[in-house]
Every structure is written in structure tokens, then in C-alpha cells.
Amino acid sequence: PRELSENGTIPAEALAFLSALMQCDCSLLIAGNTASGKTTTLNALFSFIPGNERVIITEETPEINLPHKHQMRLVANRDMGITLKDLVYDTLRMRPDRMVVGEVRNKEETEALFDVLLAGQARGSYATFHAQSAEEALSRLQSFGVRREDIGSIDCVVVQRRMLMYDAERRKNSEVRRVVEIAGVENEGLQSIYRHGKPIRYGRLLDKMAESFGLNREGMLDELKRRERVIMETQGDFSAFYKAVQKDFFGLEG
């Protein structure tokens, strides 16, 4: 996660916000275009999930790589007639703390994801999705048959895009990956929290996080500032970062 901030993918302040969101009972959709780094960001954000929680991962192509010891990975197999939708339904009896759907791409997979979300079987469910903005993500979900009143089962949409940036001085294009939008889902609509290049604006999700942490709004803001310092000052590779965060945030030995 620190490297995502250092290379400009996501500001440290927004990363601290997402770290707290991951700890709460919230579900997250990471949207973006092809090869924008959605799965990489999801992997990184799982540093902020307690290591003693049980995680179930369903994928068509194994890409998600989480450090949690209590995890079960289910992989679809077309040759055997086992679809991602089949796997998601199988997890309904597995009682996970966290549920990850590697990538949702069509109507059947969307229906399966929302069956999990609406069943409330996990503290949080997470998926990646192809869309260029949070608004487009919700629109596409509805085009796949999700009812407007069910959209609110997703708490937050993070949009990450692969973009070309032109250096006029060097006359050269370079490819970058940036989190361009973070939006809370409120009353079947969206509340903007962060847009690329603009200051973060905490919405109602901050109040939900504060309640989960047992803090008032000011105390939650102080905690986010503290988390920002921890994330940016913790050195070492991913394994060392994970262990340090687990100990600092949750009192767990990674």
C-alpha cells in the first residue's frame, strides 16, 4: 500500500480512509478499465483486514494473492462446467468473515454477487468490475438486472484507471495507473468522497466508520491521520508491512 501512494496511484490520505473502511462491516467494488491494476489494489487493501479472519476467494483466473492464513480459494473450471456463479453460491454455507469475487463481468455473475451481498453472509464482500466511473459502474449493474433498491448493499466504489499522460517537455507519452474516484453509495445514488487531484471530502461513510470504531467524528479523523502516518512510515517489503500493520492496527502477530 505504501508503494501505491509513493508511485502516485492513490494519495496517502485516501489510502488511510480505505484502510479504515476495510476494517468495518463494509462492502467494496473496485471498478476500472482493463489492466488498470484493480486486482493489485484489492490485494494491497487486504493488508488492512485482520489476519485472523476467514476469507473465501472465488475466481476464474487465480490472481488474488492475500497473506491471510485462514483462506479458501475456489477456482472456476469451464471444462468441468463449474462457473463463477456456482462457486459463489457454494460459499453461502461456508460462513466466511470476508468474501472476495475476483471479477464480475456478466449478468449471471452479478446476480450471484448480489445474492451474497443481500444475504449478509460476510462482514464485507469485495469484487472487481469493468467500468470507467462510479456512475457507470452502478448503471452497468442495473443493466445486468440489479434493482435500484439493492444497489445500496455496496457501500463504496473505488475507480482505478489506466491512462496515458503526455509530457510536453519531453514530447513523450507514459502510461500511469491512478485511483480517479472514490464514492460512497447513498440512497441508490453516489456521494463523492475523492476525485483525482482534488482534496478528499468525507461523507456519511465517515460517520459509519466512527460508529464502528466507537469514536466521534473528530476522533475518527484523528485516527485516519494516525493511520496515514503508519502507512507511509512503515518500511520493508510487503511481508514486513503486513506484519507491522497487523500489530499496530489489530494487536495481532502477522
Side-chain angles (χ1 to χ4, degrees):
R2 186 193 71 250
E3 292 173 345
L4 290 179
S5 180
E6 289 175 343
N7 68 21
T9 300
I10 181 172
E13 186 180 12
L15 192 58
F17 174 82
L18 291 177
S19 78
L21 190 70
M22 294 293 285
Q23 186 174 340
C24 301
D25 294 353
C26 292
S27 293
L28 187 73
L29 186 70
I30 300 184
N33 52 357
T34 301
S36 59
K38 301 183 293 295
T39 301
T40 297
T41 295
L42 183 59
N43 285 336
L45 290 178
F46 258 78
S47 300
F48 309 120
I49 296 291
N52 59 358
E53 293 192 354
R54 186 170 191 241
V55 182
I56 294 182
I57 306 161
T58 61
E59 297 180 279
E60 286 209 339
T61 302
E63 294 178 310
I64 293 172
N65 184 19
L66 306 182
H68 294 68
K69 296 178 181 178
H70 304 291
Q71 64 170 272
M72 177 180 292
R73 183 186 303 274
L74 305 175
V75 180
N77 188 317
R78 292 185 180 181
D79 293 338
M80 298 177 65
I82 302 172
T83 66
L84 187 65
K85 183 177 181 179
D86 295 328
L87 299 181
V88 170
Y89 281 138
D90 283 345
T91 67
L92 292 172
R93 295 180 180 271
M94 296 181 184
R95 301 182 67 181
D97 294 306
R98 309 283 175 164
M99 176 70 193
V100 184
V101 180
E103 187 172 16
V104 175
R105 297 172 298 182
N106 56 43
K107 180 179 173 63
E108 285 193 349
E109 293 168 2
T110 299
E111 289 174 352
L113 171 65
F114 272 81
D115 282 345
V116 169
L117 289 168
L118 296 172
Q121 67 151 339
R123 294 189 59 197
S125 297
Y126 313 88
T128 61
F129 191 72
H130 282 268
Q132 299 276 21
S133 68
E135 185 176 354
E136 181 183 320
L138 297 194
S139 178
R140 289 198 65 205
L141 288 172
Q142 291 181 68
S143 74
F144 286 153
V146 178
R147 298 184 303 174
R148 287 186 61 85
E149 56 267 33
D150 293 339
I151 288 290
S153 58
I154 296 173
D155 296 284
C156 184
V157 180
V158 177
V159 181
Q160 181 164 319
R161 293 178 58 188
R162 180 179 58 149
M163 305 181 295
L164 284 178
M165 296 192 71
Y166 180 67
D167 186 331
E169 187 174 320
R170 298 172 59 195
R171 296 185 179 181
K172 184 177 180 181
N173 278 329
S174 61
E175 187 176 85
V176 299
R177 289 162 175 81
R178 297 287 184 266
V179 171
V180 298
E181 184 180 6
I182 300 174
V185 182
E186 298 283 349
N187 298 322
E188 305 166 23
L190 293 165
Q191 183 177 50
S192 179
I193 296 169
Y194 168 76
R195 287 187 180 275
H196 180 54
K198 296 183 179 180
I200 192 168
R201 297 186 301 171
Y202 300 106
R204 293 182 182 178
L205 276 179
L206 182 69
D207 297 320
K208 184 172 182 177
M209 288 192 298
E211 183 179 355
S212 178
F213 277 72
L215 300 170
N216 58 26
R217 192 177 179 89
E218 291 72 23
M220 193 68 232
L221 289 172
D222 290 340
E223 172 63 14
L224 293 180
K225 287 293 184 184
R226 188 189 75 81
R227 284 171 172 251
E228 185 178 341
R229 290 194 299 271
V230 171
I231 291 168
M232 298 310 297
E233 293 174 4
T234 301
Q235 300 301 312
D237 59 12
F238 179 79
S239 177
F241 180 93
Y242 173 75
K243 289 179 180 179
V245 166
Q246 290 289 311
K247 185 172 184 179
D248 187 285
F249 289 5
F250 312 118
L252 298 173
E253 295 295 333

